[in-house]
Amino acid sequence: IDRQFKEQLKSSQSPLKEKSKTTDKNKKFQTLMQRHRERTVQCKNCSKLYIESQNNSIICEYHPKSYTLACPKTCPNPGLTSLCSSHRMRRWPCCDNVRQECVGCCRRSHCPPDSDPVYDSVMNSINERDKDFMESLDEKIAYVQSNDFPTQLNAAKKNKIFEIEDKLAMNRATAERFKNLKFV
């Protein structure tokens, strides 16, 4: 029986290995947006890891207020009555729960951190590349503006037109000379 179990375990693991190989191949062909959605991110509200594509509007359980020393919501004058010294303890003021590890009382979608070092480095490299490209374009534009190429182009066109007119006038003069020639 032990041998059969080991064989089943081996056979059940082999499809998993094949699946992992295909998913590795598929990862190569993912776009940047697909990789962005499938990355794991830590929520800044609840500190749980989540996948961006599985984020929804009620997945993050958090407390809107901080875990502090406070009176319960039912206390008529927080901190001013004689009972406050007996019931004042560390709690979540939003839901009056005294356990620090308790599940959050509010829900919302996970909030990613303000900056992600991986994507910041990618964006910095893209910005550097674009900066270099834009500098080279600015140099080319300055070169074109300094040489005044449109004026040079118009002058070249005028010269070509004058050459064509001169050649046409010469051909017309030649045709005029032979106009009265008669073949016998």
Side-chain angles (χ1 to χ4, degrees), residues 114-126:
D114 294 330
S115 67
D116 186 3
V118 172
Y119 286 95
D120 287 345
S121 66
V122 168
M123 286 308 298
N124 285 338
S125 66
I126 289 172

Side-chain angles (χ1 to χ4, degrees), residues 38-179:
E38 296 302 320
R39 68 190 173 109
T40 57
V41 182
Q42 186 172 13
C43 178
K44 65 181 179 182
N45 289 332
C46 66
S47 300
K48 292 181 183 175
L49 292 174
Y50 68 97
I51 296 175
E52 191 69 41
S53 62
Q54 295 175 352
N55 197 4
N56 61 46
S57 62
I58 59 169
I59 199 163
C60 180
E61 299 168 334
Y62 72 103
H63 292 283
K65 297 186 179 178
S66 61
Y67 188 72
T68 59
L69 189 64
C71 290
K73 288 181 181 179
T74 57
C75 183
N77 293 322
L80 300 176
T81 63
S82 59
L83 285 174
C84 285
S85 60
S86 64
H87 67 244
R88 189 173 175 90
M89 60 177 60
R90 293 187 66 80
R91 65 178 75 233
W92 294 103
C94 50
C95 61
D96 278 341
N97 202 330
V98 293
R99 291 183 312 133
Q100 188 173 7
E101 309 83 34
C102 72
V103 176
C105 59
C106 295
R107 289 178 168 250
R108 64 181 292 177
S109 58
H110 285 301
C111 292
D114 294 330
S115 67
D116 186 3
V118 172
Y119 286 95
D120 287 345
S121 66
V122 168
M123 286 308 298
N124 285 338
S125 66
I126 289 172
N127 288 338
E128 286 296 321
R129 181 201 64 200
D130 290 349
K131 182 181 173 187
D132 294 341
F133 181 71
M134 292 303 286
E135 286 175 357
S136 69
L137 282 181
D138 289 340
E139 290 173 4
K140 289 177 183 178
I141 289 172
Y143 174 74
V144 167
Q145 288 175 344
S146 68
N147 288 329
D148 199 20
F149 285 120
T151 307
Q152 290 179 13
L153 182 64
N154 284 338
K157 283 181 184 178
K158 283 181 185 177
N159 290 338
K160 194 66 172 172
I161 289 173
F162 288 145
E163 286 177 19
I164 292 171
E165 285 179 350
D166 290 344
K167 198 174 195 180
L168 186 63
M170 206 168 70
N171 287 341
R172 284 183 179 161
T174 305
E176 190 63 37
R177 271 190 317 184
F178 293 105
K179 184 179 182 183

Side-chain angles (χ1 to χ4, degrees), residues 7-19:
E7 288 175 9
Q8 287 176 349
L9 186 63
K10 285 181 184 178
S11 66
S12 67
Q13 285 179 349
S14 62
L16 291 176
K17 287 182 182 177
E18 291 174 10
K19 281 185 180 179

